[in-house]
Amino acid sequence: MEDIFMELKLSDKRKPLRAETRRPKPRDVVLGGIDNQLGLIADPSYKVSRYRYVDDGEGNKVKRMVAAKPRQWWFRDESGQYLLELRYGSSYILALDDNKPSILCGDSLDDVVDVLKHVRMMVDRGDLDERILALKEKAKRRERS
């Protein structure tokens, strides 16, 4: 009986669930958000496709794909300077330093674009993977509760 198993290479791996294979990688979530912000700066009428629960006219809530404007990550302070608050998804702030949740960009939206492109390069290289994975775990804990 042992001779039969000697010819087979056994593995402890299991086939991933379909939901796991469809779920975007954490780095891709941040990169997609950055791309949405760049699109929104280039075109203020920029929209993304999102699922929303809408009323079907008979009082039932149904899940539909709708075009929605992404929430902008940049804002101006009292001195007129642009600041950028990076996000993982829409709810979690991706702070590059624990006590500083935003990045000072400059006086114009072009400065915001430059910072977004630089951060995109950092995410692409994997420089922020540790912080991104921490936010993914935080989001996962929220889903379960």
Side-chain angles (χ1 to χ4, degrees):
M1 190 71 150
E2 258 182 59
D3 293 332
I4 295 172
F5 286 116
M6 293 299 284
E7 296 173 16
L8 301 176
K9 293 182 181 181
L10 304 177
S11 171
D12 60 350
K13 295 186 180 184
R14 297 182 59 103
K15 180 180 174 186
L17 298 173
R18 188 176 304 165
E20 290 172 3
T21 57
R22 284 191 304 232
R23 190 166 288 158
K25 292 177 177 43
R27 191 186 293 182
D28 293 338
V29 171
V30 176
L31 290 173
I34 291 171
D35 291 342
N36 287 340
Q37 296 305 306
L38 291 170
L40 190 58
I41 291 172
D43 177 13
S45 64
Y46 180 80
K47 305 259 188 204
V48 294
S49 296
R50 293 208 171 120
Y51 283 106
R52 295 279 189 240
Y53 286 95
V54 295
D55 192 357
D56 67 355
E58 298 175 10
N60 301 318
K61 296 284 184 182
V62 292
K63 189 175 180 181
R64 294 267 158 76
M65 182 71 78
V66 297
K69 187 174 182 179
R71 184 184 306 170
Q72 72 183 41
W73 293 356
W74 69 90
F75 59 96
R76 292 181 104 159
D77 67 2
E78 57 279 346
S79 68
Q81 294 283 311
Y82 281 96
L83 291 102
L84 179 67
E85 202 172 61
L86 301 172
R87 294 193 167 267
Y88 175 80
S90 61
S91 302
Y92 298 99
I93 296 171
L94 175 59
L96 302 183
D97 185 9
D98 291 334
N99 299 321
K100 298 181 181 180
S102 58
I103 302 168
L104 181 61
C105 298
D107 296 326
S108 72
L109 280 176
D110 290 336
D111 297 326
V112 176
V113 169
D114 292 340
V115 170
L116 281 167
K117 287 179 179 177
H118 182 75
V119 170
R120 190 181 199 305
M121 181 189 65
M122 290 172 65
V123 172
D124 241 351
R125 279 193 321 228
D127 297 344
L128 303 177
D129 281 354
E130 197 172 299
R131 290 190 176 272
I132 293 169
L133 289 175
L135 288 177
K136 178 188 179 228
E137 290 303 314
K138 188 175 179 182
K140 190 186 293 186
R141 285 192 302 271
R142 182 176 153 204
E143 283 176 8
R144 290 184 190 146
S145 17

